[in-house]
Amino acid sequence: MDELDILKKDWQSSQKVFQQKSSKDFYIMLHKKSSSIVKTLLYISIAELVFWICLNTIPLFSSDSYKEQLNMVYKNDFVFYAITVISYAIILLFVYLLYQTYKTISATDNVKKLMENILKTRKIIKYYVIYNLAVGFIAMVVGSYYGIVNNPEIATDFNNFNQAQVIITFCLIAVFTLLFVGLIWLFYRIIYGILLRRLNKNYKELAKLEV
Amino acid sequence: MNTELEHSFVGLLEENQNIVHKICRLYTNNQDAHNDLFQEITIQLWKAFPNFRGDSKFSTWMYRVGLNTAITLYRKSKRTIHTQEFDNLQHKIKAEPYDDTEEQQLKLMYDAVHQLNDIEKALVFLYLEDKNYAEISETLGISEVNARVKMNRVKTKLKTILNP
């Protein structure tokens, strides 16, 4: 007799060994909060959206110097408004995509499908962060260029630089910005790595079967 | 105030609660963790209940939601203590003076099943519940052939754990 069949015999006969819950227990349980991974992901994605929106919007309202700098960069009002509209449209697009994928997550799907849908959500949050980091990188580099060119004190020093020095300065700015962006990315990867370690492992196990 | 939906849900769940207990038995190692997972499965079942159309048996529907919760949705709470190592230690001590009584063998079997990964446990669970390969493949989302192949590998793995 197979080992599992011995277990099966016991398994099917052990109907009463569990401490039975009463209907009262169940009514209490229905109103407890879930601690599912989907809920955690939902909170994180909302936090991501709010964080990046705040980061992009608050300086615009609170810092006059930032506004002045922006005015220097965007001498043309149309360009400024176009960029603002496009960036909010992109945020809205991400919110829409996130909402759509969250809606598809259902505990009644099969195990593999459920995992795929959760991983899809995680991918959208990932693209959103990549988008923000890329925009942040470009904005930092372009912003520091205009900052230097338009700042009378630095601009005078800068005019005395030879071409090689100018190139080195911008390379340094780019490298430091990249490093900074890389650190945020790493931090982000670690958080999701820990959170989704088990899910990724189980998904790989199932996907491996289908090769 | 309890609604009619709640009443019918709790009635069905109370009747079929052993399915949830059995999933918890395979996926947890102590009573606290058992209760935690039990609660999460109950919540997920309740959340999914409005979509239960009754075209499958309530118990079949429970297998899906229950396994999905145990494998994917459930995040172990801080209270959950890993007793895996303790189990292994116990297993090693007991494995040497091998006693062939059925009870002893069952204890070793349960310990061995606890050492399987989440997907393998799901296969074992459905097998123990006497589900055929069509149902197993449908629940897990893999092909029937692969379910069979994997099940055979699980059996071999269990043999290896039991007879090192």
Side-chain angles (χ1 to χ4, degrees):
Chain A
M1 200 182 190
D2 203 312
E3 276 97 340
L4 261 185
D5 289 321
I6 301 169
L7 196 62
K8 197 176 192 172
K9 215 176 87 195
D10 174 69
W11 184 263
Q12 285 171 351
S13 65
S14 63
Q15 295 288 326
K16 293 282 167 227
V17 293
F18 300 107
Q19 207 182 346
Q20 298 294 292
K21 311 251 184 222
S22 67
S23 52
K24 203 177 140 208
D25 294 331
F26 284 117
Y27 282 118
I28 294 169
M29 268 190 255
L30 296 191
H31 299 284
K32 289 261 168 75
K33 275 196 176 138
S34 153
S35 61
S36 91
I37 185 85
V38 177
K39 220 170 175 189
T40 314
L41 275 179
L42 179 72
Y43 288 150
I44 292 184
S45 53
I46 291 171
E48 304 265 18
L49 283 168
V50 172
F51 172 76
W52 290 103
I53 291 172
C54 287
L55 206 68
N56 294 328
T57 320
I58 288 173
L60 204 63
F61 294 107
S62 60
S63 157
D64 286 339
S65 64
Y66 181 73
K67 245 201 256 172
E68 262 171 47
Q69 260 188 336
L70 276 182
N71 283 337
M72 275 192 269
V73 178
Y74 305 110
K75 295 215 164 68
N76 186 335
D77 259 2
F78 175 74
V79 178
F80 176 70
Y81 284 119
I83 288 177
T84 312
V85 168
I86 289 170
S87 63
Y88 280 102
I90 290 173
I91 290 173
L92 280 176
L93 181 72
F94 275 113
V95 171
Y96 172 74
L97 288 175
L98 265 178
Y99 173 72
Q100 284 295 325
T101 44
Y102 273 119
K103 250 181 32 183
T104 61
I105 295 177
S106 155
T108 42
D109 268 329
N110 69 49
V111 173
K112 192 161 174 243
K113 184 94 193 128
L114 173 70
M115 288 185 189
E116 274 166 1
N117 286 338
I118 295 176
L119 292 173
K120 218 187 271 172
T121 322
R122 183 245 182 280
K123 228 180 227 166
I124 291 172
I125 309 173
K126 185 168 100 180
Y127 292 143
Y128 180 64
V129 171
I130 290 176
Y131 160 75
N132 275 299
L133 290 178
V135 169
F137 175 73
I138 294 166
M140 286 257 274
V141 175
V142 173
S144 48
Y145 170 76
Y146 279 102
I148 289 168
V149 170
N150 291 313
N151 187 317
E153 285 168 35
I154 307 175
T156 330
D157 290 340
F158 215 64
N159 283 337
N160 298 330
F161 279 16
N162 60 35
Q163 207 181 358
Q165 282 172 315
V166 172
I167 292 170
I168 289 170
T169 311
F170 279 108
C171 280
L172 278 175
I173 291 171
V175 167
F176 279 114
T177 315
L178 209 61
L179 223 61
F180 182 67
V181 167
L183 268 177
I184 298 177
W185 180 238
L186 193 72
F187 171 72
Y188 177 78
R189 289 294 299 259
I190 290 171
I191 290 184
Y192 275 92
I194 294 170
L195 200 65
L196 295 174
R197 189 171 46 197
R198 189 160 149 251
L199 202 159
N200 275 319
K201 204 179 94 190
N202 285 335
Y203 184 70
K204 271 186 201 144
E205 174 83 22
L206 270 184
K208 197 171 71 188
L209 290 171
E210 295 301 294
V211 179
Chain B
M1 213 182 84
N2 302 325
T3 64
E4 206 175 304
L5 195 68
E6 269 186 353
H7 282 313
S8 64
F9 175 74
V10 168
L12 283 166
L13 187 55
E14 200 180 355
E15 211 176 291
N16 293 283
Q17 62 174 294
N18 272 330
I19 293 176
V20 185
H21 278 299
K22 284 174 168 181
I23 294 175
C24 296
R25 180 173 190 173
L26 284 193
Y27 282 91
T28 62
N29 291 317
N30 60 59
Q31 197 54 46
D32 270 352
H34 183 113
N35 290 339
D36 254 7
L37 180 56
F38 193 101
Q39 184 176 305
E40 187 62 41
I41 293 177
T42 304
I43 296 170
Q44 293 300 334
L45 283 167
W46 172 233
K47 272 166 66 180
F49 190 59
N51 300 325
F52 173 65
R53 286 185 296 271
D55 44 7
S56 61
K57 263 167 65 186
F58 186 71
S59 56
T60 312
W61 177 79
M62 277 177 80
Y63 287 123
R64 243 177 211 225
V65 180
L67 280 178
N68 270 332
T69 310
I71 297 173
T72 308
L73 300 173
Y74 176 58
R75 284 180 56 231
K76 288 192 176 83
S77 82
K78 281 178 194 138
R79 284 197 291 142
T80 311
I81 308 152
H82 268 285
T83 52
Q84 187 86 23
E85 281 150 34
F86 176 69
D87 278 351
N88 289 346
L89 190 72
Q90 234 181 6
H91 169 232
K92 271 177 207 153
I93 295 165
K94 284 187 178 169
E96 276 176 47
Y98 188 72
D99 192 340
D100 209 19
T101 60
E102 201 173 324
E103 207 174 312
Q104 187 82 14
Q105 207 176 356
L106 278 172
K107 166 86 178 77
L108 291 177
M109 279 299 301
Y110 278 114
D111 284 350
V113 171
H114 268 130
Q115 291 178 46
L116 298 175
N117 69 38
D118 291 341
I119 304 297
E120 292 165 340
K121 278 180 190 161
L123 277 152
V124 168
F125 170 75
L126 293 166
Y127 181 83
L128 294 177
E129 287 291 303
D130 220 13
K131 298 288 149 200
N132 60 38
Y133 284 105
E135 284 171 284
I136 295 177
S137 79
E138 208 184 300
T139 307
L140 296 181
I142 57 177
S143 72
E144 217 176 304
V145 177
N146 283 330
R148 249 175 234 278
V149 172
K150 187 71 184 166
M151 196 63 226
N152 285 331
R153 283 192 209 147
V154 172
K155 284 182 182 171
T156 316
K157 192 172 173 181
L158 281 173
K159 273 199 177 81
T160 321
I161 298 173
L162 287 164
N163 310 296

